[in-house]
Amino acid sequence: MSVELIEQMLTRLKLTAIRDQLDNLLDEAGRKELNLREALAFLCEAEIARKDQRRITMGLSIAKFPFVRTFDGFDFAAQPSLDPKQIRELATCRWVANGDSLLLLGPPGVGKTHLAVALGREAIQLGYSVLFTPATVLVAALAQAHVEGRLDERLLYYSKPKLLVIDELGYLPFEANAAHLFFQLISRRYERGSVLVTSNRSVSEWGAVFGDAVAATAILDRLLHHSHILTIRGDSYRLREKKRSGLLRPSAIEGTT
Ligand code: ADP
Ligand code: MG
């Protein structure tokens, strides 16, 4: 049978990794003296590896992370208020499988967004769809869609991913309608998909963040039902690095966080 014919069949079966590397793969299978069963498994592995890689690349681009951050790049020694064991458990994404919420709370610069991105990347590796959005962008998009009569469509966009990461809730106060729109989103996602929220404000301050204590209570009621809360303490990692490199005198740091 000609190579062309095999390649045509592989194309039709969408086994493009096997097709593109056919000679190399067959040579290697021969070198390793694989029997037929082993050779078939070897070819399947090559195809799956490429399909996984594609899926992950695609998932990462859809997720719109603001930067690349991983657990490997996280310095746990610099952050004693976090239990590495608890982070490892969260990195298994069991909470995403269960549709639980996760709140990462703490002052600016302690690594909330870093961890949110690392967890989001992990979820994508494990096959979950993820979308990252700054809280202000989310609320502005919902408010605009509301005005344009397309709120349902927008809510659907933010409801679809298995994990929605809402970053930096509370850095800026929300506009009047925000609590109501946010509540609709959280209700839609409730017990369907996971929400990860990072915030510099404790949950007791969310009434002030939303400018509406009743709506904030209703939002929290759903978010906290099946939830994990990590409160990070300590100094800003950014300032700490600057301090170390001598860019800031220790006295200049007082009162900045
Ligand atoms: P937050 O979201 O809590 O304000 P970030 O996650 O944006 O803080 O962290 C600020 C910067 O410091 C980022 O570049 C982040 O990667 C880095 N950073 C923070 N904490 C750590 C840490 N423990 N180890 C390594 N880098 C860190
Ligand atoms: Mg942040």
Side-chain angles (χ1 to χ4, degrees), residues 76-114:
F76 282 95
Q79 197 42 265
S81 72
L82 281 178
D83 177 4
K85 224 168 67 195
Q86 193 178 6
I87 301 295
R88 270 200 298 278
E89 165 59 27
L90 288 170
T92 66
C93 293
R94 242 187 294 273
W95 60 284
V96 179
N98 294 338
D100 297 349
S101 313
L102 172 62
L103 305 188
L104 294 180
L105 308 178
V110 292
K112 300 183 299 297
T113 304
H114 185 136

Side-chain angles (χ1 to χ4, degrees), residues 123-139:
I124 290 169
Q125 302 264 0
L126 292 169
Y128 300 110
S129 53
V130 177
L131 180 64
F132 180 106
T133 176
T136 47
V137 172
L138 168 74
V139 168

Side-chain angles (χ1 to χ4, degrees), residues 67 108-109 111-114 132 167-168 171 198 238:
F67 46 45
K112 300 183 299 297
T113 304
H114 185 136
F132 180 106
D167 194 36
E168 310 210 319
Y171 277 80
T198 79
R238 290 189 202 99

